[in-house]
């Protein structure tokens, strides 16, 4: 701990050496001067939760909730409508009025009592609550306006005079085309649109789908909003190019630096969960890279704050604090995406934390001063010389993070008060600041000079380590440590540990200490034993407490926690083994379900590090081994899980290796083996990525002779595809067989579950699976704008996209041995929020409309199986959608016989 603190402080001291008087946020680029956006906006947007279904009632109810919840009192003022407020009949583009501008959907937003536009009526209601109102638009002009050749208000020009043939992005409705701003009437068209919105009472415009090629549109909207005479905030979205940061700052009041923070991972298109950790943690690098470009007049926008609906946020409590802390340090807008009508009380308390909001509202971007091993530190100096520092832990387990006032550039020779902006507790430090930060958590502090350190308790670091993954009924060890960072001694120190019901906790060392002096650390160890969990792997939280007094004053209590993964014991005749010494392994069994948690650098060439559950002596010279890889957590990149067969499972690195049949996110499904009789695996088939997969995946390894093996995989456990064969010298007549995991990430574990494990005598080639027809095959017809593109998760690494809206894909030469109904499986990618649709037709027959389940992104493959009537011989299967885009297509699988 002490050595680590020194190294971190050395790094920070180096950074501080080039800074004077504290770490100061970088000055913003020249900002938009339209009089708005002087501080980051606090408000709400309809997209994250409401998405496709905004309505007058929802917006008005949300405005009510913003005021009655007390959010308005602490600064939240904006109520913004995102997409789907206008009429969109299809991919021909939004409906337009006589001047080519989008038409309000009167069903969602009925006209007001005096016939005023429905959006204007809602804006009036929002204003009546003392709030501001925002609306959504995308670049260009609707194709419908061009077809109708609508007039441009106040000019003699028409839509056809200014439109280009290039498509403009509109993520959902489609049908927007470009504008040539060199043409007379182009700017006047945007002016008329902006004037209309100003007359409706719009205070905020989100210009979505913007890229570097849209700078003329951004310029036009910036100029148009300014000429209305109404102060209107202009926000740009999304994934803006940092190379044009100064341009965004000159023309707009905010700009989205990345993609959507929403995960779009809810079941059946549900908005919940709103996000997940990966979408929040992706903003750390954005906040660091974009820091120089935000400031009064225009701010870096890291997307919606997804805090407000408890577990439905998709984030743990610590992750919610992390999101708010990072956004506040980065002076990002706080635009809530949650349902304000159903606020979680705990989340509401977070959102109303004025100490944290003040960090955001200082309009200063923090600088990232440390980034290593899952530890990130951001800091900035306030106008009053206070320093704000955030210590972030992006790892999946608690870990200590340290800095010091000198490393942060603060003057030496004085003590400092350290105010925790989440707990609101203040302590004093002689200089060191160190804390155990929970997984995906944060410690957010305001640091200021303290000229009377006796007025606050000493700052301390209390942390728990261990027990790691443990097996039920077997002992583990937890160590509690307390370090005094203050000028004053911590006295009457008591360290304790509490565990859930059924656990036993026994102190294994002293737990009480008369005093802990400045810079001193004390430790206490506890022996813990967990009961058998209800699940194969169950995570439990152990809570520690350090209590102490200071200068004879009140008692202070400091909490800390650690997690333990408890496994159900593996039952005989199965055994367990791990050669992955870089991280603790755990093994679980629940009936026919098995689970392995393990690390390991690799199982390849000079590495033989893995964790396995196995059956000793179960394989003969003719045997078949089956299992199903059911789920994975933390298995990424070239991490591996599957079947391993070798002479001695516990002979890692000391006896001949054998053969593995594995599934790997980056490698795909492969057969790997030892080709020269030594102690390591060194051969593979097929090449990396040749057989991508999605879980669950069935694996079958057959030993067909003394030194020969064959691997197969299946999507359904009944029809099988060959992976390859291997000749493996030096294999004994009797071998061990098991399930294995290697994380390929030294020091980090992966968790994999397996469904069933069977070893049987005999080796007969399994029945073949359905025939695969690739979408990108040269025999297919790809027309009307559809095109082949790369796809990391697709078979063969390619897919066909842009099907629909004129694009079509026809699989030709689909062979059927006889007339009949075949269960055809479609492999597709659908990164939309609610699921796309496609029409399917066989041999030009009647079309059938299919609705696909979203897969999360356009590189993740999902499948749909449906019955299709095929005729004997060659068939053609066409996919199309005349109204909108369909999913992207990877391939189709056709069984060898009808149902």
């Amino acid at each position: 701990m002490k050595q680590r603190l020194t190294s971190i402080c050395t790094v920070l001291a180096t950074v501080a050496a080039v800074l004077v008087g504290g770490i100061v946020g970088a000055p913003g680029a020249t900002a938009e001067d339209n009089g708005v956006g002087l501080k980051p906006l606090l408000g709400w947007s309809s997209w994250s939760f409401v998405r496709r279904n905004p309505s007058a009632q929802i917006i008005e109810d949300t405005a009510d909730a913003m005021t009655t919840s007390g959010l308005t009192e602490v600064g939240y003022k904006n109520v913004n409508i995102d997409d789907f407020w206008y009429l969109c009949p299809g991919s021909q583009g939004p409906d337009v009025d006589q001047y080519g501008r989008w038409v309000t959907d009167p069903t969602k937003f009925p006209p007001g009592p005096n016939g005023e536009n429905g959006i204007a009526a809602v804006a009036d209601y929002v204003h009546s609550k003392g709030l501001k109102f925002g609306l959504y638009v995308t670049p260009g002009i609707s194709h419908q306006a061009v077809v109708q050749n609508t007039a441009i208000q106040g000019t003699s020009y028409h839509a056809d005079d200014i439109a280009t043939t290039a498509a403009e992005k509109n993520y959902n409705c489609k049908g927007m085309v470009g504008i040539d701003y060199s043409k007379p009437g182009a700017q006047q068209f945007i002016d008329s649109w902006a004037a209309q919105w100003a007359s409706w009472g719009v205070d905020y415009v989100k210009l979505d789908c913007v890229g570097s090629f849209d700078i003329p549109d951004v310029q036009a909207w910036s100029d148009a909003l300014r000429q209305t005479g109404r102060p209107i905030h202009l926000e740009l979205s999304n994934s803006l190019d940092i190379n044009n940061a100064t341009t965004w700052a000159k023309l707009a009041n905010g700009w989205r630096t990345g993609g959507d923070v929403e995960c779009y991972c809810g079941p059946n298109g549900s908005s919940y969960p709103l996000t997940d950790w990966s979408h929040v943690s992706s903003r750390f690098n954005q906040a660091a890279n974009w820091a120089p470009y935000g400031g009064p007049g225009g701010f870096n926008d890291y997307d919606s704050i997804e805090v407000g609906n408890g577990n439905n946020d998709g984030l743990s409590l610590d992750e919610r604090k992390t999101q708010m802390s990072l956004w506040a340090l980065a002076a990002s807008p706080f635009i809530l995406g949650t349902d304000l009508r159903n606020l979680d009380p705990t989340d509401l308390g977070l959102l109303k934390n004025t100490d944290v909001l003040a960090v955001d509202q200082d309009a200063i971007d923090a600088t990232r001063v440390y980034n290593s091993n899952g530890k990130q530190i951001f800091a900035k100096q306030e106008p009053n010389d206070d320093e704000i520092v955030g210590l972030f832990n992006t790892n999946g387990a608690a870990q200590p993070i340290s800095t010091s006032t000198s490393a942060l550039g603060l003057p030496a020779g004085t003590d400092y008060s350290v105010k925790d902006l989440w707990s609101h507790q203040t302590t004093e430090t002689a200089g060191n600041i160190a804390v155990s930060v929970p997984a995906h958590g944060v410690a957010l502090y305001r640091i200021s000079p303290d000229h009377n350190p006796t007025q606050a308790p000493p700052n301390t670091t209390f942390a728990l380590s261990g027990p790691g993954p443990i097996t039920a009924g077997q002992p583990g060890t937890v160590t509690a440590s307390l370090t005094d960072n203050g000028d004053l001694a911590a006295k009457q120190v008591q360290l304790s540990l509490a565990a859930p019901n059924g656990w036993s906790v026994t102190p294994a060392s002293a737990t009480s200490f008369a005093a802990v002096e400045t810079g001193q650390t004390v430790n206490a160890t506890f022996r813990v034993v967990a009961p058998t969990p209800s699940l194969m792997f169950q995570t439990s939280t152990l809570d520690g407490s350090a209590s102490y007094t200071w200068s004879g004053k009140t008692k202070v209590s400091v909490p800390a926690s650690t997690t333990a993964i408890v496994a159900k014991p593996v039952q005989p005749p199965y055994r367990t083994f791990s050669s992955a010494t870089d991280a603790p392994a755990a093994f679980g069994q629940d009936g026919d379900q098995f689970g392995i948690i393990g690390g390991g650098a690799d199982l390849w060439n000079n590495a033989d590090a893995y964790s396995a559950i196995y059956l000793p002596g179960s394989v003969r010279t003719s045997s078949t081994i089956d299992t199903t890889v059911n789920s994975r957590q933390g298995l990424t990149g070239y991490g591996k899980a599957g079947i391993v067969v070798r002479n001695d499972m516990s002979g890692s690195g000391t006896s001949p290796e054998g053969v593995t049949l594995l599934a790997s996110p980056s490698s795909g499904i492969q057969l790997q083996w030892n080709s020269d009789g030594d102690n390591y695996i060194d051969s593979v088939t097929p090449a990396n990525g040749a057989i991508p997969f999605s879980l669950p995946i069935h694996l079958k390894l057959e030993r067909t002779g003394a030194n020969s093996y064959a691997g197969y995989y299946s999507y359904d456990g009944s029809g099988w595809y060959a992976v390859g064969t291997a000749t493996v010298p030096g294999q004994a007549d009797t071998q061990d067989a098991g399930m294995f995991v290697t994380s390929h990430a030294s020091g980090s574990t992966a968790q994999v579950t397996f469904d069933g494990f069977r070893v049987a005598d005999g080796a007969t080639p399994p029945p073949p699976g359905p025939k695969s027809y690739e979408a990108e095959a040269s025999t297919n017809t790809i027309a009307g704008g559809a095109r082949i593109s790369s796809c990391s998760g697709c078979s063969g690494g390619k897919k066909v996209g842009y099907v629909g809206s004129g694009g079509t894909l026809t699989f030709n030469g689909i062979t059927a041995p006889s007339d009949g109904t075949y269960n055809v499986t479609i492999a597709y990618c659908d990164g939309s929020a609610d699921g796309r649709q496609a029409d399917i037709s066989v041999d030009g027959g009647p079309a059938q409309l299919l609705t696909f389940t979203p897969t999360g992104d356009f590189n993740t493959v999902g499948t749909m199986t449906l019955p299709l009537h095929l005729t004997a011989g060659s068939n053609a299967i066409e996919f199309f959608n005349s109204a909108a885009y369909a999913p992207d297509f990877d391939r189709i699988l056709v069984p060898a016989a009808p149902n």
Side-chain angles (χ1 to χ4, degrees), residues 499-590:
N501 289 336
W503 285 64
S504 68
V505 177
T506 306
S509 70
T511 60
S512 300
F513 307 88
V516 180
E517 302 293 339
T518 299
Q520 190 177 38
T521 299
V522 293
N523 297 300
T525 57
F526 300 86
R527 180 180 182 271
V528 297
V529 179
T532 300
S534 58
L535 305 174
M536 182 166 54
F537 289 125
Q538 188 163 309
T539 301
S540 296
T541 300
L542 288 75
D543 296 310
S545 177
S547 64
Y548 59 91
T549 61
W550 55 288
S551 297
K553 298 185 180 180
T554 57
K555 180 176 287 189
V556 175
S557 182
V558 182
S561 63
T562 187
T563 57
I565 299 176
V566 183
K568 278 189 174 182
V570 173
Q571 302 299 317
Y574 292 97
R575 298 181 185 177
T576 64
F577 170 77
S578 181
S579 58
T581 57
D582 58 299
F587 308 93
Q589 181 181 357
D590 189 0

Side-chain angles (χ1 to χ4, degrees), residues 558-756:
V558 182
S561 63
T562 187
T563 57
I565 299 176
V566 183
K568 278 189 174 182
V570 173
Q571 302 299 317
Y574 292 97
R575 298 181 185 177
T576 64
F577 170 77
S578 181
S579 58
T581 57
D582 58 299
F587 308 93
Q589 181 181 357
D590 189 0
D592 289 334
Q593 298 277 328
F594 300 87
I596 300 174
I597 298 173
D602 205 350
L603 186 53
W604 179 258
N605 278 340
N606 294 321
D608 198 26
Y610 59 93
S611 303
I613 299 173
Y614 68 101
L615 287 172
S618 57
V619 174
R620 306 292 187 265
T621 55
S622 178
S623 294
T624 299
I625 307 100
D626 285 277
T627 193
T628 301
V629 181
N630 209 31
S631 68
R632 72 174 194 252
Q633 296 179 33
L635 188 74
T636 59
Y638 290 99
K640 304 169 184 177
I643 298 170
V644 57
V645 173
R646 63 181 296 169
N647 295 346
D648 179 5
M649 196 66 69
S650 62
S652 169
T654 61
S655 68
E657 251 297 1
V659 59
T660 61
L661 177 62
L662 60 91
S664 166
S666 293
S667 302
I669 299 172
Q670 292 181 323
L671 190 68
Q672 298 185 353
W673 68 95
N674 171 13
S675 68
D676 54 14
D678 67 5
N679 298 338
Y680 300 99
I681 286 175
D682 55 15
S683 296
V684 60
T685 188
N688 288 340
I691 310 177
F693 68 96
S694 58
L695 297 180
I697 192 72
H698 305 267
L699 301 177
K700 184 186 294 287
L701 179 63
E702 294 187 346
R703 186 177 187 185
T704 57
N707 297 312
S708 57
Y709 299 81
Y712 303 88
Y713 70 99
S714 172
Y715 296 104
D716 58 9
S718 58
W720 296 84
Y721 302 94
V723 178
T725 60
T727 298
V728 189
Q731 301 304 289
D733 289 346
T734 300
Q735 294 183 289
D736 299 345
M739 301 153 280
F740 83 96
V741 170
T742 182
S743 69
H744 199 271
S746 188
S748 298
T749 59
Q751 177 177 321
V752 180
T753 61
F754 300 83
D755 187 3

Side-chain angles (χ1 to χ4, degrees), residues 359-378:
V359 175
D360 180 68
Q361 293 296 291
D362 65 15
I364 299 170
D365 279 67
T367 300
R368 182 165 66 184
V369 295
Y370 187 79
N371 179 25
S372 181
N373 299 319
K375 304 176 183 183
Q376 299 199 36
I377 301 177
F378 284 76

